[in-house]
Amino acid sequence: MKQNFTVRHGALDGVEAFLSVARHRNFRKAAAELAVTPSAISQAIRTLEARIGAALFIRTTRSVGLTEAGERFFARARPAFEELIAASEIARGMGQRPAGLLRLSVPPAVVPVLLEPMIASFCQAYPDIELEIVASGELADLAAEGFDAGIRMGDLIAPDMVAVRLTPSFPMVVVGSPDYLRRRAAPERIEDLRGHACLRLRRSNGSVAPWSFVDGNKTIEAIVSGPLIAHDYPSLLGAAIQGVGLAQVPGPIAEAPIADGRLQALLARFAVTTPGVFLYYPERHQVLPKLRAFIDHLRQPGSADAPSKRSGRQRQS
């Protein structure tokens, strides 16, 4: 059954004073416990009774007792208030040490390159952190979807985010398998791509990304066509290895298949350079220890660049 809850202003005012008086059956002892004056305790109780609409204590010159309403209020309020204090302590602890659920939104391409090599050591170093990695090509709204941080290429990150560099800049490389290149001549110029099967990426906004190149000081966006459209670079890379067509992918994920001969790099002199990969999160006055621990651990083998707020222009660290 659905219940409707109304948040009342000051609903907890006076509850701690009430609980202390009810435990001690004495206003002065309650005042000493809470480090306030007896008159302040009396005023807090009077205000609470007025708000509730019932007397909570029976007061005489010699003793303090609970009314029936006070007994019932004490029985319900005491465990609830103790739970509230316990919740505050848990939250305070999470603000002081690395612990709790750490949710990250990442593109599938960075998982094998950046995350897989450090996941085991991170989980061993921080056993109180639960690491959840959501691998998706979609550009997530971190706050709305409950993520602590995201990882993306720098040109995809909003200017108001705090961005931490994870990789140097790298080229976007065109690759093809030896099998494919036996069937079709390797392109030597950008225009040659018109005669090739080009594997394309669909962006999170629904558009199909053109292939980007540089020719001298000129940036060129080539509209290509081919048999496959995918939502992530690893799928394009895998299809290129299988000989389906040519693919333009981030250089780091193509290094291994190029090195072992499964792919060949093409049109290298026209390769465009991207800003690199960054971890990003909303600007806050304080970064939670669990996220700070992850950032520090992820960057241990690399540079010691400090996090900084990006301006509208891509930050180069």
Side-chain angles (χ1 to χ4, degrees):
M1 178 179 174
K2 185 177 180 180
Q3 298 182 9
N4 294 320
F5 295 93
T6 301
V7 177
R8 292 173 293 179
H9 178 68
L12 295 178
D13 291 351
V15 173
E16 187 175 21
F18 165 80
L19 293 174
S20 185
V21 173
R23 284 196 305 270
H24 294 293
R25 296 295 199 271
N26 187 291
F27 277 70
R28 289 189 177 278
K29 289 181 179 180
E33 180 180 69
L34 300 179
V36 297
T37 64
S39 61
I41 293 289
S42 297
Q43 181 60 45
I45 297 300
R46 285 195 296 271
T47 301
L48 179 63
E49 289 177 326
R51 189 168 69 249
I52 291 175
L56 300 176
F57 290 104
I58 302 170
R59 305 170 181 84
T60 69
T61 55
R62 294 186 177 182
S63 64
V64 174
L66 288 167
T67 64
E68 182 180 1
E71 291 282 4
R72 293 190 178 189
F73 187 76
F74 182 67
R76 299 288 293 274
R78 183 177 183 178
F81 194 80
E82 289 174 351
E83 281 296 312
L84 183 62
I85 297 299
S88 298
E89 292 299 322
I90 291 172
R92 184 179 298 111
M94 292 182 69
Q96 295 172 349
R97 64 184 178 83
L101 178 64
L102 179 63
R103 298 190 75 230
L104 304 175
S105 171
V106 305
V110 311
V111 175
V113 177
L114 287 178
L115 299 185
E116 284 183 1
M118 55 78 68
I119 288 174
S121 60
F122 178 78
C123 292
Q124 290 167 4
Y126 299 99
D128 294 331
I129 296 178
E130 293 179 89
L131 180 61
E132 180 178 352
I133 297 171
V134 180
S136 170
E138 300 295 320
L139 196 59
D141 182 329
L142 299 185
E145 298 178 43
F147 290 104
D148 294 285
I151 296 177
R152 286 292 183 269
M153 286 197 286
D155 52 356
L156 300 178
I157 300 173
D160 60 347
M161 292 285 169
V162 177
V164 181
R165 179 178 288 280
L166 300 181
T167 74
S169 300
F170 53 77
M172 295 291 293
V173 298
V174 176
V175 293
S177 72
D179 178 59
Y180 175 86
L181 294 172
R182 279 192 291 269
R183 301 195 308 268
R184 300 194 187 187
E188 296 182 359
R189 299 173 302 171
I190 299 170
E191 310 87 82
D192 295 341
L193 292 173
R194 296 193 188 110
H196 283 272
C198 297
L199 315 179
R200 294 163 292 160
L201 178 78
R202 188 176 296 281
R203 294 166 169 159
S204 59
N205 64 6
S207 66
V208 175
W211 286 16
S212 296
F213 300 96
V214 290
D215 189 357
N217 295 324
K218 184 170 61 174
T219 299
I220 298 173
E221 289 196 340
I223 305 302
V224 297
S225 62
L228 176 68
I229 298 173
H231 287 238
D232 61 85
Y233 286 118
S235 296
L236 297 178
L237 186 72
I241 291 172
Q242 295 300 316
V244 178
L246 305 181
Q248 188 179 52
V249 297
I253 71 169
E255 286 178 358
I258 290 174
D260 63 24
R262 288 177 293 161
L263 290 175
Q264 295 179 26
L266 306 164
L267 301 174
R269 65 190 179 97
F270 301 109
V272 68
T273 299
T274 72
V277 173
F278 292 76
L279 180 143
Y280 67 100
Y281 54 90
E283 184 180 17
R284 302 186 184 102
H285 293 298
Q286 181 181 8
V287 178
L288 289 175
K290 61 183 180 180
L291 179 56
R292 169 55 55 202
F294 183 81
I295 293 171
D296 291 344
H297 196 86
L298 186 58
R299 300 174 69 198
Q300 274 178 3
S303 66
D305 297 338
S308 66
K309 183 181 177 183
R310 291 171 64 247
S311 64
R313 181 180 61 186
Q314 174 61 44
R315 177 180 63 82
Q316 299 293 338
S317 299

